[in-house]
Amino acid sequence: MKRNTLLLIVILVWIGVNLACSSSDDTEATAQAITEILSLTATAAVPQAEETENLYLTAQAEATEQVILEPEVDTESLQATAMAESSVIGELKLYGIDPEKGQIGWVHPPVNLEADRYMAFDYANDYPEVIVGDFVIASDITWDTQYGTSGCGYLLRSNGDQNSGDQYMVLITRAGNGHLIFAITENGNPVGGYDVFPRTSDKSFDWHNGTTNRVAIVGKGSTFTFYTNGVWVDEIDLTNPPPAPVMPAIPAIPSDQSNNQLMEIYRQQMAEYENMVEEIRNNFNGLLSRAQQKSPIYEHGFVGLILVSESGHSICQFDNAWLWMMNPEE
């Protein structure tokens, strides 16, 4: 696999080295395009501002103005929120969240994100005025991706800056029999991410096409906790040095080593495995450096639902999605 091609795939699944070090014009253009597309989730219905703080204030002011000038009630949205509230509160208990210390940010209608080209994105955010601090976000995610490195997930605490985007992203992919990536973008550049293999704890996690997994993220300050299908699968604290990376399982060598076709498949699998291991190690080193430099924690920002497609036809269906906003700790 050519290095440039590998880097493009790596940035899609956020397990690679920082592409800012690359001298390839194509790679730099791709990185810039990714940053711009991700930022659209936050800025779709909010005017651009010179500073991030102004962007937040503008969004809040517009939301307030709309309530004052257009007091019409969206009956369907209110009914959907009321119907979902009891189930949301019940689910919060699975994640150890006190429902008395927060409120529903939104209940999102079903969304079908789709892409059918190389290096494509799709996203949804019906509530761009909502700014998130501490939160819980959850959704049933049904996927059908042609390539295992394509993924579905969430954009979190984005500052909405098209030129110097700071944001987190969580993607689940079918790679490695199911893979969850927590990725970080700083000043518009990807700076690595954490790798989680849900099936280590959640045996019900299904990486096959056409299946549905419920993915929930709890974000409290610098700490993020990940759940799939109601099962705790990992927790990270961005103020701590990253833990030693978990490597995917080594491909099994065919029992019939005289079968040339099977051995060729095995060699391809081993090549992919070695590339993934190398990138995970590089990614770990990048995170370790970031922790040592005590990089800032993104405390507030916009959220969205997102699809990232390496190539081919990819579909991410989001159902029963909701956002819970926790009260600031006193």
Side-chain angles (χ1 to χ4, degrees):
M1 179 180 294
K2 294 182 180 179
R3 181 61 177 169
N4 286 348
T5 301
L6 176 60
L7 283 174
L8 295 180
I9 295 174
V10 163
I11 192 172
L12 277 172
V13 297
W14 302 87
I15 59 172
V17 297
N18 191 336
L19 292 187
C21 299
S22 172
S23 60
S24 166
D25 292 339
D26 289 341
T27 300
E28 291 177 359
T30 300
Q32 181 180 359
I34 287 173
T35 300
E36 291 176 355
I37 294 172
L38 289 179
S39 69
L40 290 177
T41 302
T43 59
V46 182
Q48 291 297 310
E50 293 182 359
E51 298 180 0
T52 298
E53 182 177 359
N54 292 338
L55 186 65
Y56 295 156
L57 295 176
T58 301
Q60 291 174 322
E62 287 200 345
T64 302
E65 182 180 5
Q66 183 175 4
V67 171
I68 295 174
L69 299 180
E70 302 177 19
E72 296 181 3
V73 177
D74 187 338
T75 305
E76 290 187 5
S77 295
L78 290 177
Q79 290 177 342
T81 301
M83 293 177 61
E85 185 171 1
S86 60
S87 61
V88 169
I89 291 174
E91 189 173 351
L92 287 172
K93 296 177 181 178
L94 289 176
Y95 314 135
I97 303 301
D98 185 351
E100 297 297 324
K101 297 181 179 180
Q103 60 280 326
I104 290 177
W106 46 251
V107 177
H108 211 288
V111 173
N112 188 68
L113 303 183
E114 190 167 358
D116 195 15
R117 64 186 189 278
Y118 178 63
M119 296 293 288
F121 289 77
D122 199 3
Y123 54 86
N125 179 10
D126 283 6
Y127 307 90
E129 74 281 2
V130 176
I131 298 168
V132 170
D134 290 346
F135 67 91
V136 185
I137 190 169
S139 180
D140 294 331
I141 300 177
T142 305
W143 51 15
D144 187 353
T145 62
Q146 188 169 342
Y147 288 85
T149 47
S150 300
C152 314
Y154 311 117
L155 185 69
L156 304 171
R157 291 185 188 163
S158 172
N159 69 349
D161 191 324
Q162 292 189 6
N163 298 315
S164 301
D166 293 338
Q167 55 214 352
Y168 303 122
M169 185 169 70
V170 173
L171 283 177
I172 56 169
T173 78
R174 295 190 297 106
N177 291 336
H179 193 187
L180 183 149
I181 304 122
F182 178 90
I184 305 170
T185 301
E186 185 175 299
N187 295 323
N189 296 312
V191 292
Y194 293 76
D195 297 279
V196 177
F197 294 89
R199 283 187 59 81
T200 301
S201 301
D202 176 16
K203 303 305 180 184
S204 69
F205 188 90
D206 197 333
W207 59 274
H208 295 90
N209 264 332
T211 59
T212 301
N213 294 284
R214 186 157 187 82
V215 180
I217 315 297
V218 178
K220 291 183 178 180
S222 64
T223 303
F224 295 84
T225 310
F226 312 105
Y227 297 85
T228 60
N229 304 312
V231 178
W232 180 98
V233 294
D234 207 351
E235 180 176 284
I236 61 173
D237 186 338
L238 298 180
T239 62
N240 295 332
V246 176
M247 298 300 178
I250 300 176
I253 189 169
S255 57
D256 182 5
Q257 298 183 33
S258 63
N259 187 315
N260 292 332
Q261 184 177 3
L262 292 179
M263 289 301 296
E264 178 59 27
I265 294 174
Y266 169 72
R267 282 189 287 269
Q268 293 176 1
Q269 291 175 338
M270 280 301 300
E272 293 175 358
Y273 169 81
E274 290 169 357
N275 284 332
M276 180 176 287
V277 167
E278 177 186 2
E279 299 302 343
I280 289 176
R281 286 174 177 163
N282 289 335
N283 181 59
F284 169 75
N285 292 333
L287 288 174
L288 184 61
S289 174
R290 190 175 189 274
Q292 292 170 341
Q293 294 173 9
K294 297 183 179 179
S295 296
I297 304 301
Y298 310 146
E299 296 181 352
H300 299 87
F302 304 97
V303 300
L305 311 175
I306 190 167
L307 173 154
V308 182
S309 178
E310 174 195 342
S311 186
H313 191 200
S314 297
I315 299 174
C316 297
Q317 175 72 38
F318 295 84
D319 293 291
N320 304 312
W322 50 260
L323 173 72
W324 180 265
M325 303 173 64
M326 288 182 269
N327 296 337
E329 294 185 0
E330 299 179 356

PDB file of all heavy atoms in Angstrom, residues 68-102:
ATOM      1  N   ILE A  68     -38.409  34.733  21.437  1.00  0.00           N
ATOM      2  CA  ILE A  68     -39.141  35.970  21.712  1.00  0.00           C
ATOM      3  C   ILE A  68     -39.990  36.388  20.519  1.00  0.00           C
ATOM      4  O   ILE A  68     -41.161  36.747  20.664  1.00  0.00           O
ATOM      5  CB  ILE A  68     -38.147  37.090  22.067  1.00  0.00           C
ATOM      6  CG1 ILE A  68     -37.431  36.745  23.386  1.00  0.00           C
ATOM      7  CG2 ILE A  68     -38.856  38.428  22.182  1.00  0.00           C
ATOM      8  CD1 ILE A  68     -36.331  37.717  23.748  1.00  0.00           C
ATOM      9  N   LEU A  69     -39.407  36.323  19.315  1.00  0.00           N
ATOM     10  CA  LEU A  69     -40.099  36.842  18.138  1.00  0.00           C
ATOM     11  C   LEU A  69     -41.024  35.831  17.490  1.00  0.00           C
ATOM     12  O   LEU A  69     -41.949  36.209  16.794  1.00  0.00           O
ATOM     13  CB  LEU A  69     -39.056  37.318  17.112  1.00  0.00           C
ATOM     14  CG  LEU A  69     -38.131  38.446  17.582  1.00  0.00           C
ATOM     15  CD1 LEU A  69     -37.148  38.810  16.478  1.00  0.00           C
ATOM     16  CD2 LEU A  69     -38.931  39.667  18.022  1.00  0.00           C
ATOM     17  N   GLU A  70     -40.750  34.546  17.710  1.00  0.00           N
ATOM     18  CA  GLU A  70     -41.549  33.510  17.076  1.00  0.00           C
ATOM     19  C   GLU A  70     -41.994  32.495  18.117  1.00  0.00           C
ATOM     20  O   GLU A  70     -41.459  31.405  18.224  1.00  0.00           O
ATOM     21  CB  GLU A  70     -40.725  32.821  15.982  1.00  0.00           C
ATOM     22  CG  GLU A  70     -40.230  33.778  14.913  1.00  0.00           C
ATOM     23  CD  GLU A  70     -39.361  33.076  13.887  1.00  0.00           C
ATOM     24  OE1 GLU A  70     -39.455  31.830  13.814  1.00  0.00           O
ATOM     25  OE2 GLU A  70     -38.618  33.740  13.186  1.00  0.00           O
ATOM     26  N   PRO A  71     -42.983  32.849  18.918  1.00  0.00           N
ATOM     27  CA  PRO A  71     -43.377  32.014  20.043  1.00  0.00           C
ATOM     28  C   PRO A  71     -44.223  30.806  19.646  1.00  0.00           C
ATOM     29  O   PRO A  71     -44.905  30.240  20.483  1.00  0.00           O
ATOM     30  CB  PRO A  71     -44.181  32.990  20.912  1.00  0.00           C
ATOM     31  CG  PRO A  71     -44.768  33.944  19.917  1.00  0.00           C
ATOM     32  CD  PRO A  71     -43.740  34.100  18.837  1.00  0.00           C
ATOM     33  N   GLU A  72     -44.201  30.427  18.371  1.00  0.00           N
ATOM     34  CA  GLU A  72     -44.974  29.272  17.954  1.00  0.00           C
ATOM     35  C   GLU A  72     -44.378  27.993  18.550  1.00  0.00           C
ATOM     36  O   GLU A  72     -43.163  27.851  18.669  1.00  0.00           O
ATOM     37  CB  GLU A  72     -44.978  29.170  16.430  1.00  0.00           C
ATOM     38  CG  GLU A  72     -45.666  30.341  15.751  1.00  0.00           C
ATOM     39  CD  GLU A  72     -45.669  30.178  14.245  1.00  0.00           C
ATOM     40  OE1 GLU A  72     -45.186  29.134  13.760  1.00  0.00           O
ATOM     41  OE2 GLU A  72     -46.156  31.083  13.546  1.00  0.00           O
ATOM     42  N   VAL A  73     -45.246  27.085  18.906  1.00  0.00           N
ATOM     43  CA  VAL A  73     -44.820  25.846  19.554  1.00  0.00           C
ATOM     44  C   VAL A  73     -44.773  24.720  18.532  1.00  0.00           C
ATOM     45  O   VAL A  73     -45.714  24.521  17.766  1.00  0.00           O
ATOM     46  CB  VAL A  73     -45.794  25.476  20.700  1.00  0.00           C
ATOM     47  CG1 VAL A  73     -45.381  24.139  21.318  1.00  0.00           C
ATOM     48  CG2 VAL A  73     -45.813  26.572  21.748  1.00  0.00           C
ATOM     49  N   ASP A  74     -43.643  24.026  18.519  1.00  0.00           N
ATOM     50  CA  ASP A  74     -43.502  22.853  17.662  1.00  0.00           C
ATOM     51  C   ASP A  74     -44.089  21.656  18.413  1.00  0.00           C
ATOM     52  O   ASP A  74     -43.433  21.016  19.220  1.00  0.00           O
ATOM     53  CB  ASP A  74     -42.016  22.618  17.351  1.00  0.00           C
ATOM     54  CG  ASP A  74     -41.826  21.513  16.327  1.00  0.00           C
ATOM     55  OD1 ASP A  74     -42.744  20.674  16.181  1.00  0.00           O
ATOM     56  OD2 ASP A  74     -40.767  21.482  15.680  1.00  0.00           O
ATOM     57  N   THR A  75     -45.378  21.394  18.145  1.00  0.00           N
ATOM     58  CA  THR A  75     -46.100  20.375  18.899  1.00  0.00           C
ATOM     59  C   THR A  75     -45.486  19.000  18.744  1.00  0.00           C
ATOM     60  O   THR A  75     -45.345  18.246  19.721  1.00  0.00           O
ATOM     61  CB  THR A  75     -47.571  20.332  18.450  1.00  0.00           C
ATOM     62  OG1 THR A  75     -48.136  21.631  18.581  1.00  0.00           O
ATOM     63  CG2 THR A  75     -48.356  19.329  19.288  1.00  0.00           C
ATOM     64  N   GLU A  76     -45.106  18.653  17.532  1.00  0.00           N
ATOM     65  CA  GLU A  76     -44.532  17.327  17.303  1.00  0.00           C
ATOM     66  C   GLU A  76     -43.242  17.135  18.087  1.00  0.00           C
ATOM     67  O   GLU A  76     -43.016  16.076  18.672  1.00  0.00           O
ATOM     68  CB  GLU A  76     -44.278  17.107  15.812  1.00  0.00           C
ATOM     69  CG  GLU A  76     -45.546  16.963  14.999  1.00  0.00           C
ATOM     70  CD  GLU A  76     -45.255  16.575  13.559  1.00  0.00           C
ATOM     71  OE1 GLU A  76     -44.076  16.338  13.247  1.00  0.00           O
ATOM     72  OE2 GLU A  76     -46.193  16.520  12.760  1.00  0.00           O
ATOM     73  N   SER A  77     -42.396  18.151  18.101  1.00  0.00           N
ATOM     74  CA  SER A  77     -41.137  18.052  18.833  1.00  0.00           C
ATOM     75  C   SER A  77     -41.389  17.908  20.327  1.00  0.00           C
ATOM     76  O   SER A  77     -40.731  17.113  21.005  1.00  0.00           O
ATOM     77  CB  SER A  77     -40.263  19.272  18.560  1.00  0.00           C
ATOM     78  OG  SER A  77     -39.878  19.309  17.214  1.00  0.00           O
ATOM     79  N   LEU A  78     -42.350  18.696  20.849  1.00  0.00           N
ATOM     80  CA  LEU A  78     -42.663  18.597  22.274  1.00  0.00           C
ATOM     81  C   LEU A  78     -43.192  17.221  22.633  1.00  0.00           C
ATOM     82  O   LEU A  78     -42.837  16.652  23.677  1.00  0.00           O
ATOM     83  CB  LEU A  78     -43.683  19.681  22.657  1.00  0.00           C
ATOM     84  CG  LEU A  78     -43.175  21.125  22.639  1.00  0.00           C
ATOM     85  CD1 LEU A  78     -44.322  22.078  22.971  1.00  0.00           C
ATOM     86  CD2 LEU A  78     -42.025  21.301  23.626  1.00  0.00           C
ATOM     87  N   GLN A  79     -44.064  16.669  21.780  1.00  0.00           N
ATOM     88  CA  GLN A  79     -44.610  15.343  22.050  1.00  0.00           C
ATOM     89  C   GLN A  79     -43.520  14.281  21.999  1.00  0.00           C
ATOM     90  O   GLN A  79     -43.480  13.382  22.837  1.00  0.00           O
ATOM     91  CB  GLN A  79     -45.709  15.025  21.038  1.00  0.00           C
ATOM     92  CG  GLN A  79     -46.978  15.839  21.226  1.00  0.00           C
ATOM     93  CD  GLN A  79     -48.018  15.548  20.158  1.00  0.00           C
ATOM     94  OE1 GLN A  79     -47.696  15.001  19.094  1.00  0.00           O
ATOM     95  NE2 GLN A  79     -49.268  15.916  20.425  1.00  0.00           N
ATOM     96  N   ALA A  80     -42.624  14.401  21.007  1.00  0.00           N
ATOM     97  CA  ALA A  80     -41.538  13.438  20.894  1.00  0.00           C
ATOM     98  C   ALA A  80     -40.624  13.501  22.109  1.00  0.00           C
ATOM     99  O   ALA A  80     -40.187  12.467  22.637  1.00  0.00           O
ATOM    100  CB  ALA A  80     -40.740  13.697  19.625  1.00  0.00           C
ATOM    101  N   THR A  81     -40.360  14.727  22.569  1.00  0.00           N
ATOM    102  CA  THR A  81     -39.505  14.882  23.741  1.00  0.00           C
ATOM    103  C   THR A  81     -40.151  14.285  24.976  1.00  0.00           C
ATOM    104  O   THR A  81     -39.505  13.597  25.769  1.00  0.00           O
ATOM    105  CB  THR A  81     -39.190  16.370  23.978  1.00  0.00           C
ATOM    106  OG1 THR A  81     -38.531  16.893  22.829  1.00  0.00           O
ATOM    107  CG2 THR A  81     -38.304  16.558  25.202  1.00  0.00           C
ATOM    108  N   ALA A  82     -41.454  14.549  25.143  1.00  0.00           N
ATOM    109  CA  ALA A  82     -42.163  14.020  26.307  1.00  0.00           C
ATOM    110  C   ALA A  82     -42.196  12.496  26.297  1.00  0.00           C
ATOM    111  O   ALA A  82     -41.991  11.860  27.336  1.00  0.00           O
ATOM    112  CB  ALA A  82     -43.593  14.578  26.329  1.00  0.00           C
ATOM    113  N   MET A  83     -42.440  11.898  25.140  1.00  0.00           N
ATOM    114  CA  MET A  83     -42.485  10.443  25.036  1.00  0.00           C
ATOM    115  C   MET A  83     -41.116   9.815  25.302  1.00  0.00           C
ATOM    116  O   MET A  83     -41.004   8.742  25.870  1.00  0.00           O
ATOM    117  CB  MET A  83     -42.988  10.035  23.647  1.00  0.00           C
ATOM    118  CG  MET A  83     -44.433  10.385  23.373  1.00  0.00           C
ATOM    119  SD  MET A  83     -44.940   9.957  21.679  1.00  0.00           S
ATOM    120  CE  MET A  83     -44.681   8.187  21.688  1.00  0.00           C
ATOM    121  N   ALA A  84     -40.065  10.528  24.884  1.00  0.00           N
ATOM    122  CA  ALA A  84     -38.725   9.972  25.024  1.00  0.00           C
ATOM    123  C   ALA A  84     -38.150  10.192  26.418  1.00  0.00           C
ATOM    124  O   ALA A  84     -37.244   9.466  26.835  1.00  0.00           O
ATOM    125  CB  ALA A  84     -37.792  10.613  23.993  1.00  0.00           C
ATOM    126  N   GLU A  85     -38.682  11.163  27.148  1.00  0.00           N
ATOM    127  CA  GLU A  85     -38.058  11.546  28.418  1.00  0.00           C
ATOM    128  C   GLU A  85     -37.963  10.383  29.399  1.00  0.00           C
ATOM    129  O   GLU A  85     -36.920  10.183  30.025  1.00  0.00           O
ATOM    130  CB  GLU A  85     -38.830  12.709  29.052  1.00  0.00           C
ATOM    131  CG  GLU A  85     -38.151  13.227  30.306  1.00  0.00           C
ATOM    132  CD  GLU A  85     -38.792  14.514  30.812  1.00  0.00           C
ATOM    133  OE1 GLU A  85     -39.773  14.965  30.186  1.00  0.00           O
ATOM    134  OE2 GLU A  85     -38.308  15.058  31.808  1.00  0.00           O
ATOM    135  N   SER A  86     -39.026   9.610  29.520  1.00  0.00           N
ATOM    136  CA  SER A  86     -39.003   8.516  30.488  1.00  0.00           C
ATOM    137  C   SER A  86     -37.963   7.464  30.119  1.00  0.00           C
ATOM    138  O   SER A  86     -37.251   6.945  30.991  1.00  0.00           O
ATOM    139  CB  SER A  86     -40.386   7.866  30.591  1.00  0.00           C
ATOM    140  OG  SER A  86     -40.790   7.346  29.326  1.00  0.00           O
ATOM    141  N   SER A  87     -37.850   7.146  28.824  1.00  0.00           N
ATOM    142  CA  SER A  87     -36.864   6.156  28.414  1.00  0.00           C
ATOM    143  C   SER A  87     -35.449   6.708  28.559  1.00  0.00           C
ATOM    144  O   SER A  87     -34.512   5.968  28.889  1.00  0.00           O
ATOM    145  CB  SER A  87     -37.110   5.697  26.973  1.00  0.00           C
ATOM    146  OG  SER A  87     -37.007   6.779  26.065  1.00  0.00           O
ATOM    147  N   VAL A  88     -35.291   8.013  28.305  1.00  0.00           N
ATOM    148  CA  VAL A  88     -33.975   8.632  28.473  1.00  0.00           C
ATOM    149  C   VAL A  88     -33.536   8.546  29.925  1.00  0.00           C
ATOM    150  O   VAL A  88     -32.400   8.150  30.230  1.00  0.00           O
ATOM    151  CB  VAL A  88     -34.005  10.106  28.012  1.00  0.00           C
ATOM    152  CG1 VAL A  88     -32.724  10.825  28.431  1.00  0.00           C
ATOM    153  CG2 VAL A  88     -34.189  10.190  26.507  1.00  0.00           C
ATOM    154  N   ILE A  89     -34.438   8.907  30.826  1.00  0.00           N
ATOM    155  CA  ILE A  89     -34.111   8.869  32.252  1.00  0.00           C
ATOM    156  C   ILE A  89     -33.766   7.444  32.691  1.00  0.00           C
ATOM    157  O   ILE A  89     -32.815   7.223  33.443  1.00  0.00           O
ATOM    158  CB  ILE A  89     -35.280   9.431  33.078  1.00  0.00           C
ATOM    159  CG1 ILE A  89     -35.401  10.945  32.838  1.00  0.00           C
ATOM    160  CG2 ILE A  89     -35.088   9.144  34.557  1.00  0.00           C
ATOM    161  CD1 ILE A  89     -36.599  11.585  33.494  1.00  0.00           C
ATOM    162  N   GLY A  90     -34.522   6.476  32.183  1.00  0.00           N
ATOM    163  CA  GLY A  90     -34.216   5.088  32.520  1.00  0.00           C
ATOM    164  C   GLY A  90     -32.841   4.665  32.028  1.00  0.00           C
ATOM    165  O   GLY A  90     -32.099   3.976  32.731  1.00  0.00           O
ATOM    166  N   GLU A  91     -32.486   5.110  30.820  1.00  0.00           N
ATOM    167  CA  GLU A  91     -31.186   4.741  30.262  1.00  0.00           C
ATOM    168  C   GLU A  91     -30.048   5.446  30.988  1.00  0.00           C
ATOM    169  O   GLU A  91     -28.953   4.890  31.138  1.00  0.00           O
ATOM    170  CB  GLU A  91     -31.147   5.062  28.770  1.00  0.00           C
ATOM    171  CG  GLU A  91     -29.911   4.516  28.071  1.00  0.00           C
ATOM    172  CD  GLU A  91     -29.967   4.698  26.555  1.00  0.00           C
ATOM    173  OE1 GLU A  91     -31.037   5.084  26.038  1.00  0.00           O
ATOM    174  OE2 GLU A  91     -28.934   4.458  25.902  1.00  0.00           O
ATOM    175  N   LEU A  92     -30.295   6.676  31.451  1.00  0.00           N
ATOM    176  CA  LEU A  92     -29.254   7.406  32.167  1.00  0.00           C
ATOM    177  C   LEU A  92     -28.749   6.632  33.378  1.00  0.00           C
ATOM    178  O   LEU A  92     -27.561   6.692  33.725  1.00  0.00           O
ATOM    179  CB  LEU A  92     -29.777   8.776  32.621  1.00  0.00           C
ATOM    180  CG  LEU A  92     -29.960   9.840  31.539  1.00  0.00           C
ATOM    181  CD1 LEU A  92     -30.658  11.063  32.127  1.00  0.00           C
ATOM    182  CD2 LEU A  92     -28.627  10.238  30.939  1.00  0.00           C
ATOM    183  N   LYS A  93     -29.664   5.886  34.010  1.00  0.00           N
ATOM    184  CA  LYS A  93     -29.281   5.126  35.202  1.00  0.00           C
ATOM    185  C   LYS A  93     -28.245   4.057  34.874  1.00  0.00           C
ATOM    186  O   LYS A  93     -27.429   3.696  35.722  1.00  0.00           O
ATOM    187  CB  LYS A  93     -30.521   4.514  35.845  1.00  0.00           C
ATOM    188  CG  LYS A  93     -31.511   5.565  36.356  1.00  0.00           C
ATOM    189  CD  LYS A  93     -32.768   4.936  36.927  1.00  0.00           C
ATOM    190  CE  LYS A  93     -33.746   6.009  37.396  1.00  0.00           C
ATOM    191  NZ  LYS A  93     -35.014   5.433  37.918  1.00  0.00           N
ATOM    192  N   LEU A  94     -28.283   3.543  33.628  1.00  0.00           N
ATOM    193  CA  LEU A  94     -27.279   2.563  33.216  1.00  0.00           C
ATOM    194  C   LEU A  94     -25.875   3.158  33.238  1.00  0.00           C
ATOM    195  O   LEU A  94     -24.885   2.448  33.438  1.00  0.00           O
ATOM    196  CB  LEU A  94     -27.575   2.057  31.797  1.00  0.00           C
ATOM    197  CG  LEU A  94     -28.775   1.144  31.589  1.00  0.00           C
ATOM    198  CD1 LEU A  94     -28.942   0.858  30.098  1.00  0.00           C
ATOM    199  CD2 LEU A  94     -28.582  -0.161  32.352  1.00  0.00           C
ATOM    200  N   TYR A  95     -25.814   4.472  33.028  1.00  0.00           N
ATOM    201  CA  TYR A  95     -24.530   5.145  32.917  1.00  0.00           C
ATOM    202  C   TYR A  95     -24.148   5.888  34.188  1.00  0.00           C
ATOM    203  O   TYR A  95     -23.175   6.652  34.199  1.00  0.00           O
ATOM    204  CB  TYR A  95     -24.561   6.120  31.731  1.00  0.00           C
ATOM    205  CG  TYR A  95     -25.145   5.535  30.478  1.00  0.00           C
ATOM    206  CD1 TYR A  95     -26.060   6.239  29.695  1.00  0.00           C
ATOM    207  CD2 TYR A  95     -24.805   4.232  30.057  1.00  0.00           C
ATOM    208  CE1 TYR A  95     -26.599   5.690  28.543  1.00  0.00           C
ATOM    209  CE2 TYR A  95     -25.349   3.679  28.912  1.00  0.00           C
ATOM    210  CZ  TYR A  95     -26.250   4.418  28.165  1.00  0.00           C
ATOM    211  OH  TYR A  95     -26.796   3.866  27.024  1.00  0.00           O
ATOM    212  N   GLY A  96     -24.931   5.666  35.255  1.00  0.00           N
ATOM    213  CA  GLY A  96     -24.619   6.289  36.535  1.00  0.00           C
ATOM    214  C   GLY A  96     -24.855   7.783  36.571  1.00  0.00           C
ATOM    215  O   GLY A  96     -24.193   8.511  37.328  1.00  0.00           O
ATOM    216  N   ILE A  97     -25.809   8.267  35.794  1.00  0.00           N
ATOM    217  CA  ILE A  97     -26.101   9.702  35.718  1.00  0.00           C
ATOM    218  C   ILE A  97     -27.370  10.023  36.507  1.00  0.00           C
ATOM    219  O   ILE A  97     -28.397   9.352  36.346  1.00  0.00           O
ATOM    220  CB  ILE A  97     -26.277  10.146  34.251  1.00  0.00           C
ATOM    221  CG1 ILE A  97     -25.031   9.798  33.434  1.00  0.00           C
ATOM    222  CG2 ILE A  97     -26.575  11.633  34.185  1.00  0.00           C
ATOM    223  CD1 ILE A  97     -23.752  10.425  33.931  1.00  0.00           C
ATOM    224  N   ASP A  98     -27.308  11.034  37.342  1.00  0.00           N
ATOM    225  CA  ASP A  98     -28.445  11.479  38.135  1.00  0.00           C
ATOM    226  C   ASP A  98     -29.359  12.346  37.268  1.00  0.00           C
ATOM    227  O   ASP A  98     -28.981  13.453  36.872  1.00  0.00           O
ATOM    228  CB  ASP A  98     -27.956  12.275  39.341  1.00  0.00           C
ATOM    229  CG  ASP A  98     -29.088  12.664  40.289  1.00  0.00           C
ATOM    230  OD1 ASP A  98     -30.271  12.464  39.935  1.00  0.00           O
ATOM    231  OD2 ASP A  98     -28.788  13.186  41.385  1.00  0.00           O
ATOM    232  N   PRO A  99     -30.572  11.878  36.963  1.00  0.00           N
ATOM    233  CA  PRO A  99     -31.476  12.658  36.098  1.00  0.00           C
ATOM    234  C   PRO A  99     -31.966  13.945  36.743  1.00  0.00           C
ATOM    235  O   PRO A  99     -32.546  14.797  36.054  1.00  0.00           O
ATOM    236  CB  PRO A  99     -32.632  11.682  35.836  1.00  0.00           C
ATOM    237  CG  PRO A  99     -32.590  10.725  36.969  1.00  0.00           C
ATOM    238  CD  PRO A  99     -31.155  10.583  37.345  1.00  0.00           C
ATOM    239  N   GLU A 100     -31.750  14.106  38.055  1.00  0.00           N
ATOM    240  CA  GLU A 100     -32.164  15.333  38.731  1.00  0.00           C
ATOM    241  C   GLU A 100     -31.167  16.459  38.492  1.00  0.00           C
ATOM    242  O   GLU A 100     -31.438  17.612  38.848  1.00  0.00           O
ATOM    243  CB  GLU A 100     -32.302  15.072  40.234  1.00  0.00           C
ATOM    244  CG  GLU A 100     -33.364  14.049  40.605  1.00  0.00           C
ATOM    245  CD  GLU A 100     -34.763  14.512  40.213  1.00  0.00           C
ATOM    246  OE1 GLU A 100     -35.024  15.727  40.314  1.00  0.00           O
ATOM    247  OE2 GLU A 100     -35.578  13.667  39.812  1.00  0.00           O
ATOM    248  N   LYS A 101     -30.032  16.129  37.892  1.00  0.00           N
ATOM    249  CA  LYS A 101     -28.976  17.131  37.728  1.00  0.00           C
ATOM    250  C   LYS A 101     -28.696  17.408  36.253  1.00  0.00           C
ATOM    251  O   LYS A 101     -27.541  17.405  35.813  1.00  0.00           O
ATOM    252  CB  LYS A 101     -27.696  16.674  38.438  1.00  0.00           C
ATOM    253  CG  LYS A 101     -27.864  16.519  39.943  1.00  0.00           C
ATOM    254  CD  LYS A 101     -26.569  16.094  40.602  1.00  0.00           C
ATOM    255  CE  LYS A 101     -26.738  15.972  42.112  1.00  0.00           C
ATOM    256  NZ  LYS A 101     -25.461  15.561  42.768  1.00  0.00           N
ATOM    257  N   GLY A 102     -29.767  17.608  35.508  1.00  0.00           N
ATOM    258  CA  GLY A 102     -29.596  17.910  34.100  1.00  0.00           C
ATOM    259  C   GLY A 102     -30.926  17.952  33.392  1.00  0.00           C
ATOM    260  O   GLY A 102     -31.991  17.873  34.013  1.00  0.00           O
TER     261      GLY A 102
END
